[in-house]
Amino acid sequence: MHPLDVVRTRFQVHDGRGSNLPTYKNTAHAIFTIARLERLGGLYAGFSPAVLGSTVSWGLYFFFYGRAKQRYSKNRDEQLSPGLHLASAAEAGALVSLCTNPIWLVKTRLQLQTPLHQTQPYSGFYDALRTIVREEGWAALYKGLLPSLFLVSHGAIQFTAYEELRKVVVDFKSKKSRRHSGSADSVLNSVDYAALGASSKVAAILLSYPFQVMRSRLQQRPSSEGIPRYMDSWHVIRETVRFEGVRGFYKGITPNLLKNVPAASITFIVYENVLRFLKFARTNE
């Protein structure tokens, strides 16, 4: 899925007003153009920080989310309300953003490197970190943090939608099979988890995608003179609305959907089935 992530990032920052990126017509054209001009290395630019960032982010997210739900559910016999699910997901997302922003900054910078760039390219993840700190200071590692914190809404929307849709499907399937006391584990299967994961992901993307565009534009490498293209989040909003309109905030959404919706389905299938296996193993013990 990683080539789609590269294409999405390049579409997000391409504002049509002078760029170091080639002009792509659509997702397929972008993939073929990158493959022709930059070979496999271009399609997999930023792969190492992407793997590191995804691993750390998902691990921390499920950890913080589970702990938050446990804390909110103390002294409560009933299920958590949508508001408490939202608060749990928002809390987890904010903590993950603070921990992983430097990783995503480096990933974005590596994905935007093309033969058209005038500056010395980063040779890899660690070289990028060292160069950014040396040339721009430690604070540069947290560029795009504000929209990242707003992107907490993405995880919050996704997990809240997932939990609420899950309840609806469990109730529906329980009534249909006349198992009113059946648990989610005994009612839902992998197909259900895939559909729930995909549906919740689409809802989250549609509502939070503009913040992804803002973050990518803020995380671009400054010019050879050290001047950033965008100074802050408000500058991104003003310039995008002025020159591109609302559509500018949804650039790259097609490769984003193609990449993340199947990935969300797979993630929740694995997560729920591993959780089920661990519960079963603990019960047998």
Side-chain angles (χ1 to χ4, degrees), residues 6-39:
V6 175
V7 171
R8 177 198 64 177
T9 303
R10 294 191 179 187
F11 271 121
Q12 285 176 338
V13 303
H14 189 72
D15 55 15
R17 296 185 292 120
S19 172
N20 290 317
L21 297 172
T23 300
Y24 307 121
K25 296 177 182 177
N26 51 49
T27 302
H29 179 251
I31 291 175
F32 286 123
T33 302
I34 294 169
R36 180 168 52 84
L37 297 177
E38 303 171 52
R39 308 299 180 190

Side-chain angles (χ1 to χ4, degrees), residues 11 35 64 85 88 90 94-95 114 129 173 190-192 205 217 231 239 261 265 283:
F11 271 121
F64 290 136
H85 278 304
S88 300
L95 291 170
T114 73
L129 279 176
K173 295 191 78 170
S190 293
V191 175
D192 296 320
I205 288 173
R217 294 190 175 193
M231 304 305 296
E239 295 295 290
V261 173
S265 295
T283 302

Side-chain angles (χ1 to χ4, degrees), residues 188-196 265 268-270 273 276:
L188 300 179
N189 55 41
S190 293
V191 175
D192 296 320
Y193 294 135
L196 290 169
S265 295
F268 279 102
I269 290 171
V270 174
N273 280 289
R276 180 187 297 179

Side-chain angles (χ1 to χ4, degrees), residues 31-279:
I31 291 175
F32 286 123
T33 302
I34 294 169
R36 180 168 52 84
L37 297 177
E38 303 171 52
R39 308 299 180 190
L40 199 62
L43 291 174
Y44 283 89
F47 183 71
S48 296
V51 172
L52 176 63
S54 294
T55 304
V56 173
S57 293
W58 276 111
L60 289 176
Y61 201 103
F62 280 122
F63 174 76
F64 290 136
Y65 182 63
R67 287 302 179 91
K69 285 204 301 181
Q70 286 177 10
R71 190 170 64 255
Y72 289 129
S73 64
K74 281 183 178 178
N75 303 320
R76 289 174 178 269
D77 295 327
E78 71 278 5
Q79 291 182 318
L80 289 181
S81 66
L84 288 177
H85 278 304
L86 192 69
S88 300
E91 180 182 316
L95 291 170
V96 169
S97 293
L98 290 170
C99 294
T100 60
N101 197 79
I103 301 174
W104 299 124
L105 174 86
V106 172
K107 179 187 78 83
T108 299
R109 296 273 181 102
L110 290 174
Q111 289 179 336
L112 294 177
Q113 289 189 151
T114 73
L116 299 178
H117 267 87
Q118 302 299 316
T119 51
Q120 177 69 27
Y122 305 123
S123 61
F125 178 69
Y126 294 108
D127 178 59
L129 279 176
R130 287 195 302 267
T131 305
I132 291 167
V133 171
R134 186 178 69 249
E135 294 181 352
E136 304 169 58
W138 287 94
L141 294 175
Y142 282 88
K143 284 185 176 180
L145 180 61
L146 182 59
S148 290
L149 291 174
F150 278 106
L151 271 170
V152 166
S153 63
H154 180 96
I157 294 165
Q158 181 181 353
F159 274 77
T160 303
Y162 182 83
E163 297 282 1
E164 295 308 307
L165 288 171
R166 191 169 181 265
K167 289 179 191 175
V168 171
V169 174
V170 168
D171 289 343
F172 175 77
K173 295 191 78 170
S174 296
K175 290 176 183 176
K176 192 175 180 180
S177 60
R178 297 182 181 179
R179 286 189 297 177
H180 297 281
S181 59
S183 66
D185 289 341
S186 64
V187 173
L188 300 179
N189 55 41
S190 293
V191 175
D192 296 320
Y193 294 135
L196 290 169
S199 301
S200 59
K201 191 67 174 181
V202 169
I205 288 173
L206 291 176
L207 291 171
S208 65
Y209 191 75
F211 295 115
Q212 291 191 39
V213 174
M214 291 171 60
R215 181 177 64 181
S216 293
R217 294 190 175 193
L218 284 170
Q219 291 181 339
Q220 294 179 86
R221 190 174 186 176
S223 66
S224 55
E225 291 81 21
I227 302 171
R229 189 165 185 82
Y230 297 98
M231 304 305 296
D232 51 38
S233 297
W234 180 238
H235 188 208
V236 176
I237 294 171
R238 281 203 325 268
E239 295 295 290
T240 303
V241 170
R242 179 184 174 190
F243 293 103
E244 303 164 74
V246 176
R247 290 182 62 183
F249 291 104
Y250 285 90
K251 283 190 171 180
I253 195 169
T254 299
N256 191 66
L257 288 169
L258 291 173
K259 172 186 180 290
N260 287 303
V261 173
S265 295
I266 294 168
T267 298
F268 279 102
I269 290 171
V270 174
Y271 173 69
E272 294 285 3
N273 280 289
V274 169
L275 204 61
R276 180 187 297 179
F277 172 78
L278 293 174
K279 287 179 182 177

